[in-house]
């Protein structure tokens, strides 16, 4: 298994995103209306994650597509009749769509949009780790490659991880968990399950600072703290609600508080604001401060690779370098672990 420094080094090698890739004119109306026409013409559906740019989320909303968390993205794409899906998010989300819908063509604006959790968990090294612990049920987070999912017994997202681990615990299973150590530790603490953890982390969420949140709580004593469970334990300890992106949006909508401190990627504020209306105050949890190393300020550099020009290019040309392909054998194995999650969450 990797040390944190080795993972950090690997991640840095993948960080090819430059500001210029990201900051085109995000509200280029001519381009937006062209993309809308292309989606119709090509019978394509746009599915975007909450962390993508507001212009992309608005496009999905306005064209009958979806803006969702990673679990719902998988479900919606599978259920829809469109023959082509444009997945705006990070690569594992496109791969998941392909695993669930092999008959559909799946494109992404930029296949280099990866995730530090995926980068920090190479399939061959993960398989060797699993081989050393044959007595454990292998549960992986959705933020992994198709090959890692293929080695797993179960795939989970942050929206259903706790209930699936509880279910396995009830069956007396010992768990091998990968890749996010913070999410793994959160589930372990919450359930008391016997979990062996891989040493991965999200470069965005690991930068939230407990001290900064405490200081904010001083300024806004009535604010509820909403935290994504990829954050460090010291940050989760301050949370009123810990959950997936959808669960955090729902918490902001349904809780009576007039202000919220939110520890997750900034893209979420677009949908959250729409859902809560104008009366509630939404405050960003700090990433900077003592010990901060993050330059992205709660921005996922890979989510930011989803641009309008990339969307237009994909729809116009359907280029091979933007199409998701998953080896058939890997796909069939990965489908088993993903389908377990979908079946489990459907019956609840
Ligand atoms: P959700 O499943 O909560 O949408 O999270 C995906 C993700 O990448 C969080 O960083
Ligand atoms: Fe991965 Fe973190 Fe980006 Fe989510 S925010 S896609 S976990 S790097």
């Amino acid at each position: 298994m990797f040390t944190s420094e080795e993972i950090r080094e690997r991640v840095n090698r993948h960080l090819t995103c430059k500001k210029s890739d990201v900051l085109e004119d995000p509200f280029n109306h001519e381009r937006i209306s062209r993309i809308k026409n292309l989606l119709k013409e090509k019978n394509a559906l746009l599915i975007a994650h909450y962390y993508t740019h507001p212009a992309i989320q608005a496009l999905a909303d306005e064209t009958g597509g979806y803006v969702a968390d990673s679990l719902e993205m998988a479900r919606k794409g599978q259920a829809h009749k469109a023959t082509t899906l444009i997945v705006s998010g990070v690569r594992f989300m496109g791969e998941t769509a392909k695993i669930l819908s092999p008959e559909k063509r799946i494109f992404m604006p930029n296949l280099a949009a990866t995730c530090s959790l995926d980068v920090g968990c190479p399939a061959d090294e993960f398989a060797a780790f699993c081989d050393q612990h044959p007595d454990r049920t292998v549960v992986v987070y959705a933020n992994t490659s198709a090959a890692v999912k293929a080695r797993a017994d179960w795939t989970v997202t942050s929206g259903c991880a706790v209930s699936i681990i509880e279910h396995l615990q009830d069956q007396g299973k010992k768990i091998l968990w990968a890749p996010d150590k913070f999410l793994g530790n959160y589930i372990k603490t919450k359930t008391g399950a016997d979990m062996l953890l891989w040493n991965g982390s999200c470069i965005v969420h690991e930068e939230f600072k407990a001290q900064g949140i405490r200081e904010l709580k001083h300024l806004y004593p009535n604010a509820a703290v909403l935290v994504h469970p990829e954050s460090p334990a010291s940050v989760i300890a301050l949370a009123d609600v810990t959950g997936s992106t959808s669960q955090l949006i729902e918490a902001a909508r349904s809780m009576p508080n007039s202000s919220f401190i939110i520890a997750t990627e900034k893209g979420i504020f677009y949908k959250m604001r729409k859902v809560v209306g104008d009366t509630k105050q939404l405050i960003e949890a700090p990433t900077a401060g003592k010990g901060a190393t993050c330059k992205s300020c709660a921005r996922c550099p890979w989510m930011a690779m989803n641009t309008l020009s990339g969307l237009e290019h994909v729809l116009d040309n359907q280029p091979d370098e933007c199409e998701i392909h998953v080896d058939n054998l890997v796909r069939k194995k990965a489908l088993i672990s993903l389908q377990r999650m979908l079946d489990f969450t459907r019956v609840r």
Side-chain angles (χ1 to χ4, degrees), residues 49-51 68-71 90 92-93 115 117 141 143 157-159 202 205 228-230 243-246 264-265 303:
H49 189 266
Y50 292 121
Y51 294 164
D69 68 11
S70 53
L71 176 60
V90 293
F92 78 82
M93 296 171 178
C115 163
L117 291 166
Y141 193 31
N143 300 35
T157 70
S158 56
C202 160
H205 289 86
H228 197 282
E230 290 167 11
S244 71
T245 46
S246 297
T264 193
E265 212 268 4
M303 286 285 180

Side-chain angles (χ1 to χ4, degrees), residues 216 219-220 223-224 226 258-263 269 272-273 280-286:
L216 267 182
L219 289 174
Y220 303 94
L226 310 182
S258 58
S259 51
F260 294 87
I261 297 167
I262 294 132
F269 284 93
M272 206 175 252
R273 173 54 69 203
K280 295 184 177 179
Q281 189 175 18
L282 304 177
I283 305 157
E284 291 171 22

